């Protein structure tokens, strides 16, 4: 009996343990299933589970969100229903070869949503293996929609490699493209050309019409240049009003010239902006591989050098690079560096060219002319360094120095009662004239040097009076009340209020006319020397001089003739009643000490002028 009870108890205990084991296994299985379901439903990636035949047996909610298909629409179908059609059969064949060999595949793929939208995704496919034998039972794929990432990458790429205004490739992409083109050209022995395009006087558009007009102009220029190029050519905007072009597959060296000429022709047509007609021109520099360099830096630099040479030759043209240009620009750079310290080193000096009063026969005034005593290159005239000063902004401090020195000279001569020269004419550049501090600067210098303002004459160019040049932009009408013109009025009126005379230098070479000049209060017109030297060679120059004289008389302005080289020219001026004359026939420019000696011992006197006047009157063959 006892043995039977013990046996029965043993059976019960064994049964109980077996039941508990089974319950534990079931509980573990339930927990694993719950964990699996929790993971399956909470991940941020889409999940697809297929059987061995590729039939979808399970998907998660994220996959439905990504594809637009419900679970019911997906389960029982093949994942091929999501294919975009972008990838070919070889792509999928290669994918499955790797899955079968390695058990997984990962890559970027383009699929299609239910609404037909094609989108990019990162896809991971893994083989499902179970049991100790690792038997293949199906496949699981996880995928992530990377549309936003691609969009951001595209935006970053656009920002990094393309110009935001014109949409053209920028300097960074231009550099990479040119390097690539040169590698190809070296392998295939081809010719590559680089064109550097810079608009002429573009700043005037921004200054007179605003930056919005400038942006419109740049876009139109980009369109016109692109229309002149071939499909294989690359147009880029380097910045500002500078464009660069890569010409590939060139058959002959003459091809870049033909394209450059075509660009200039395309840009010559009018552009309508804000109901105004604008005409823009460009200067183009050309460098060619391999003659002008075999690297990005060399070709771009030499094309840039050639472009500057085109500007120096008059703009609105193209120029092929020549090695001599580098020497010229190297010297220009050296001069710019030296010019920055020329004032501190007392290398700038003033020369004075006396002006003859044709009525009294005396030298009563003079023009101040700047010279640079360069330690290496000797005495330089303004044409050799003033353009550099204007480009670099150095013209402002140099102009102030000239003004101060000239006023100090006037003050000195004023103290010598017997010295006849009491008035000096000082040139003021357009940059100085447009500087808002000019009047304050003049007043300060006059007070500092104790100079009588009545003996100071400021010479301005026609460009100061006419900021918008008709041959550059050809506006149909010039609004004399616009902002830039108001600055002209204000500055001239303030200078006149101080007691200073105003003259227009090199008159006749610009774009002024009688109707325009009468708007301003001016004292003197200076006839440019180019007309004087050709007065007996070209009838047109004689007519121009007589027209200028008539204009001056109508406006009650004095007239000064520059560049008088011989007695015949002087006789012509006497006959046409010009007030003052200056030129080598009368006197060359000279330093302060020399002009003082020259004036004191001058051979010019009233009797000499009287004799020339009598010769004119008594001549049977009057001066034409």
């Amino acid at each position: 009996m006892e043995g039977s009870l013990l046996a029965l108890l043993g059976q019960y205990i064994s049964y109980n343990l077996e039941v508990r084991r089974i319950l534990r296994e079931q509980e573990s299985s339930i927990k694993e299933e719950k964990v699996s379901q929790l993971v399956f439903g909470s991940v941020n990636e889409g999940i697809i589970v297929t059987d061995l035949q590729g039939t979808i047996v399970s998907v998660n909610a994220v996959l439905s969100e990504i594809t637009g298909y419900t679970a019911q629409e997906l389960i029982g179908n093949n994942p091929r229903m999501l294919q975009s059609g972008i990838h070919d059969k070889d792509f999928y064949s290669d994918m499955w070869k790797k899955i079968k060999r390695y058990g997984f595949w990962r890559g970027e793929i383009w699929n299609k949503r239910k609404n037909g939208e094609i989108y990019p995704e990162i896809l991971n496919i893994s083989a499902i293996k179970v049991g100790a034998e690792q038997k293949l039972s199906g496949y699981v794929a996880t995928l992530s929609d990377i549309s936003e990432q691609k969009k951001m990458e595209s935006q970053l790429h656009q920002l990094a490699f393309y110009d935001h205004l014109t949409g053209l490739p920028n300097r960074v992409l231009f550099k990479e493209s040119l390097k690539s083109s040169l590698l190809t050209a070296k392998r295939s022995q081809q010719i590559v050309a680089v064109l550097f395009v810079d608009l002429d006087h573009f700043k005037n558009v921004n200054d007179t019409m605003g930056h919005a007009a400038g942006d419109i102009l740049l876009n139109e220029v980009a369109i016109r240049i692109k229309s002149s190029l071939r499909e294989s050519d690359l147009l880029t905007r380097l910045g500002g009003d500078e464009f660069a072009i890569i010409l590939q597959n060139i058959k002959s060296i003459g091809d870049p010239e033909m394209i450059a000429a075509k660009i200039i022709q395309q840009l010559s047509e009018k552009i309508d902006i804000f109901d105004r007609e604008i005409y823009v021109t460009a200067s183009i520099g050309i460098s060619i591989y391999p003659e002008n360099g075999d690297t990005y830096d060399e070709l771009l630099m030499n094309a840039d050098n050639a472009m500057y040479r085109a500007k120096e030759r008059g703009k609105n043209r193209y120029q092929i690079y020549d090695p001599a240009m580098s020497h010229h620009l190297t010297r220009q750079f050296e001069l710019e560096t030296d010019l920055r310290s020329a004032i501190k080193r007392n290398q700038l000096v003033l020369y004075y060219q006396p002006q003859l009063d044709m009525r009294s026969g005396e030298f009563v005034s003079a023009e101040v002319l700047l010279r640079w005593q360069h330690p290496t290159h000797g005495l330089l005239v303004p044409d050799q360094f003033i353009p550099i000063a204007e480009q670099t902004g150095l013209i402002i401090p140099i102009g102030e120095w000239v003004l101060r020195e000239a006023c100090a000279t006037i003050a000195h001569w004023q103290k010598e009662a017997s010295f006849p020269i009491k008035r000096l004419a000082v040139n003021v550049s357009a940059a100085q004239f447009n500087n808002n501090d000019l009047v304050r600067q003049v007043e300060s210098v006059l007070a500092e040097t104790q100079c009588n303002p009545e003996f100071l004459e400021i010479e301005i160019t026609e460009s100061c009076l006419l900021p918008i040049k008709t041959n550059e932009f050809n506006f149909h009408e010039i609004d004399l009340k616009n902002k830039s013109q108001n600055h002209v009025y204000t500055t001239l009126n303030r200078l006149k209020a101080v007691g200073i005379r105003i003259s227009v230098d090199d008159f006749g070479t610009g774009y002024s006319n009688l109707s325009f000049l009468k708007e301003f209060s001016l004292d003197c017109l200076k006839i440019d020397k180019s007309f004087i030297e050709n007065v007996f060679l070209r009838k047109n120059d004689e007519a121009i001089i007589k027209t200028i004289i008539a204009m001056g008389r109508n406006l009650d302005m004095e007239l000064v003739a520059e560049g008088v080289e011989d007695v015949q020219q002087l006789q012509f001026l006497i006959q046409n009643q010009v007030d003052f004359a200056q030129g080598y026939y009368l006197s060359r420019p000279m330093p302060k000490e020399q002009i003082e000696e020259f004036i004191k011992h001058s051979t010019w006197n009233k009797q000499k002028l009287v004799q020339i006047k009598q010769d004119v009157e008594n001549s049977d063959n009057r001066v034409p």
Side-chain angles (χ1 to χ4, degrees):
M1 183 69 178
E2 184 178 350
S4 297
L5 288 172
L6 290 171
L8 183 60
L9 180 61
Q11 290 176 2
Y12 173 76
I13 293 171
S14 297
Y15 174 77
N16 192 42
L17 289 173
E18 180 64 21
V19 169
R20 289 186 178 185
R21 183 187 66 77
I22 293 172
L23 289 173
R24 283 196 303 270
E25 288 181 355
Q26 288 178 345
E27 183 179 0
S28 176
S29 176
I30 290 170
K31 286 182 178 178
E32 288 178 2
E33 183 178 351
K34 287 183 177 179
V35 170
S36 176
Q37 290 176 350
L38 182 63
V39 172
F40 197 74
S42 62
V43 294
N44 292 324
E45 295 179 315
I47 299 176
I48 301 176
V49 180
T50 72
D51 59 18
L52 285 175
Q53 287 71 41
T55 302
I56 299 173
V57 297
S58 181
V59 297
N60 69 345
V62 176
L63 184 81
S64 294
E65 292 176 6
I66 293 174
T67 64
Y69 289 100
T70 64
Q72 291 78 9
E73 291 173 316
L74 291 166
I75 293 174
N77 285 305
N78 190 286
R80 283 192 296 269
M81 66 185 294
L82 301 175
Q83 290 181 5
S84 64
I86 290 178
H87 308 288
D88 56 19
K89 291 182 179 179
D90 291 339
F91 175 84
Y92 295 105
S93 175
D94 181 66
M95 173 197 294
W96 283 105
K97 283 180 182 178
K98 291 179 180 178
I99 293 172
K100 291 178 180 179
R101 182 173 182 179
Y102 302 109
F104 69 90
W105 181 88
R106 175 182 172 82
E108 186 176 307
I109 190 171
W110 289 81
N111 273 341
K112 183 168 63 176
R113 307 186 206 275
K114 183 179 179 180
N115 62 7
E117 178 188 353
I118 296 173
Y119 69 98
E121 64 183 31
I122 294 294
L123 177 63
N124 293 274
I125 302 177
S126 299
I128 303 174
K129 296 180 180 180
V130 297
E133 298 178 357
Q134 292 289 287
K135 183 178 179 181
L136 181 64
S137 63
Y139 301 93
V140 60
T142 62
L143 56 94
S144 299
D145 185 347
I146 58 172
S147 299
E148 289 301 316
Q149 178 183 331
K150 284 287 185 181
K151 183 178 180 181
M152 186 174 294
E153 288 176 356
S154 176
Q155 291 173 342
L156 290 174
H157 183 270
Q158 186 74 20
L159 289 172
F161 297 104
Y162 289 86
D163 173 51
H164 72 282
L165 177 63
T166 62
L168 295 175
N170 63 11
R171 184 182 293 268
V172 176
L173 187 53
F174 172 77
K175 183 176 183 178
E176 295 304 316
S177 300
L178 182 53
K179 286 182 176 179
S180 176
S181 297
L182 292 176
L183 287 174
T184 302
K186 288 176 183 178
R187 287 194 297 266
S188 55
Q189 296 184 332
Q190 294 178 343
I191 300 173
V192 174
V194 173
L195 274 61
F196 197 110
V197 183
D198 186 271
L199 302 186
D200 301 324
H201 310 292
F202 174 72
K203 184 177 182 296
N204 287 357
V205 176
N206 280 337
D207 290 347
T208 58
M209 296 186 65
H211 289 277
D215 290 347
I216 295 172
L217 177 60
L218 289 172
N219 273 300
E220 180 61 27
V221 166
I223 293 171
R224 294 191 181 191
I225 294 177
K226 197 170 183 63
S227 70
S228 306
L229 305 179
R230 306 163 301 172
E231 286 294 328
S232 60
D233 302 329
L234 178 70
L235 171 63
T236 63
R237 182 187 176 212
L238 299 181
D241 61 338
E242 295 178 342
F243 297 84
I245 304 166
I246 301 174
L247 302 181
Q248 305 179 88
N249 304 320
I250 296 174
K251 303 303 180 184
S252 70
I253 295 179
D255 289 348
E257 293 186 76
M258 293 176 59
I259 292 176
K262 187 176 180 181
I263 292 171
I264 290 173
Q265 176 60 35
Q266 286 286 345
L267 294 179
S268 67
E269 300 296 327
K270 70 174 182 177
I271 300 174
D272 294 319
I273 300 178
F274 300 153
D275 297 325
R276 283 181 169 174
E277 293 182 359
I278 296 178
Y279 289 83
V280 66
T281 62
S283 299
I284 303 176
I286 303 172
S287 65
I288 298 173
Y289 165 85
E291 286 83 357
N292 304 141
D294 58 3
T295 67
Y296 161 82
D297 291 324
E298 286 180 316
L299 289 170
L300 184 61
M301 179 181 67
N302 291 336
D304 190 16
N305 291 344
M307 181 274 294
Y308 275 108
R309 181 57 179 154
K311 284 191 178 293
E312 290 176 358
R313 293 184 59 201
K315 305 179 180 64
N316 193 29
R317 66 182 66 227
Y318 66 84
Q319 177 70 51
I320 296 179
Y321 173 76
D322 186 288
M325 296 176 189
S326 293
H327 174 73
H328 170 72
L329 288 172
T330 298
R331 184 184 176 187
Q332 293 293 95
F333 177 76
E334 291 173 350
L335 286 176
E336 176 185 334
T337 303
D338 294 342
L339 188 57
R340 293 185 181 277
S341 58
I343 296 178
K344 294 180 181 179
R345 296 177 181 177
N346 297 317
Q347 295 173 356
L348 298 181
V349 293
L350 295 187
Y351 273 51
Y352 304 85
Q353 187 171 33
Q355 297 172 339
L356 181 69
D357 187 335
M358 306 277 271
R359 296 158 296 192
S360 67
E362 296 180 349
F363 292 109
V364 296
S365 58
E367 180 180 4
V368 176
L369 301 170
L370 182 61
R371 299 290 185 266
W372 180 10
Q373 189 63 58
H374 193 278
T376 304
H377 303 297
L379 191 66
L380 303 181
V381 297
D383 289 347
Q384 295 174 286
F385 63 90
I386 287 299
I388 299 174
E390 291 176 337
Q391 292 169 11
T392 59
L394 291 172
I395 193 66
I396 301 298
I398 290 175
E400 183 176 1
W401 179 87
V402 171
L403 181 64
R404 180 172 286 103
E405 291 294 309
C407 287
T409 298
I410 296 173
H412 170 71
W413 287 346
Q414 286 172 355
K415 295 176 183 179
E416 296 187 19
S418 61
F419 195 72
I421 294 183
K422 301 296 184 182
R423 187 173 70 231
L424 285 181
V426 179
N427 289 280
V428 170
S429 70
Q432 288 176 271
F433 188 80
N434 291 322
N435 186 350
N436 292 329
D437 290 335
L438 176 62
V439 178
R440 180 200 58 77
Q441 185 184 103
V442 170
E443 291 174 337
S444 175
V445 169
L446 289 172
E448 177 186 330
T449 58
Q450 297 183 342
C451 172
N452 186 339
E454 295 180 2
F455 300 138
L456 173 64
E457 179 174 293
I458 286 182
E459 293 187 0
I460 58 176
T461 60
E462 290 179 80
S463 60
C464 294
L465 300 176
L466 187 58
I468 303 169
K469 297 182 179 179
T470 55
N471 74 326
E472 290 169 4
F473 301 108
N474 198 27
F475 295 164
H476 276 188
E477 60 182 35
I478 299 169
D479 182 5
L480 295 178
K481 305 303 180 185
N482 67 27
K483 184 177 179 180
S484 59
Q485 291 297 329
N486 281 336
H487 170 73
V488 175
Y489 281 124
T490 302
T491 302
L492 288 176
N493 289 337
R494 289 178 63 190
L495 290 173
K496 293 287 290 182
V498 173
I500 297 170
R501 284 170 50 92
I502 305 294
S503 66
V504 181
D505 194 18
D506 301 332
F507 190 80
T509 60
Y511 314 97
S512 292
N513 52 48
L514 180 60
S515 61
F516 195 87
L517 284 176
K518 71 181 182 181
E519 300 292 336
F520 303 101
S521 179
L522 304 170
D523 298 289
C524 178
L525 290 182
K526 297 192 72 175
I527 305 170
D528 187 68
K529 62 181 180 181
S530 62
F531 300 117
I532 303 299
E533 65 185 10
N534 294 313
V535 66
F536 300 124
L537 301 176
R538 297 195 299 238
K539 286 290 183 182
N540 286 344
D541 285 358
E542 178 185 346
I544 290 172
I545 293 174
K546 291 181 178 180
T547 300
I548 294 173
I549 293 171
M551 290 172 62
R553 294 283 173 249
N554 288 330
L555 296 172
D556 195 26
M557 298 169 64
E558 290 185 338
L559 294 157
V560 178
E562 299 179 300
V564 178
E565 301 285 342
D566 55 45
V567 68
Q568 287 79 19
Q569 293 171 352
L570 189 65
Q571 289 173 337
F572 173 83
L573 298 173
I574 290 171
Q575 180 183 345
N576 287 278
Q577 299 180 340
V578 173
D579 302 305
F580 297 91
Q582 70 181 80
Y584 284 3
Y585 178 68
L586 304 171
S587 170
R588 289 178 175 271
M590 60 192 77
K592 177 182 173 183
E593 294 75 13
Q594 290 186 22
I595 192 173
E596 290 174 350
E597 289 298 313
F598 172 81
I599 296 298
K600 290 176 182 177
H601 304 94
S602 174
T603 57
W604 274 98
N605 50 49
K606 294 181 180 180
Q607 286 73 25
K608 186 170 184 178
L609 185 61
V610 168
Q611 182 60 52
I612 295 175
K613 289 181 177 180
Q614 289 178 350
D615 291 342
V616 172
E617 293 175 359
N618 297 331
S619 175
D620 292 333
N621 299 313
R622 285 295 186 93
V623 178

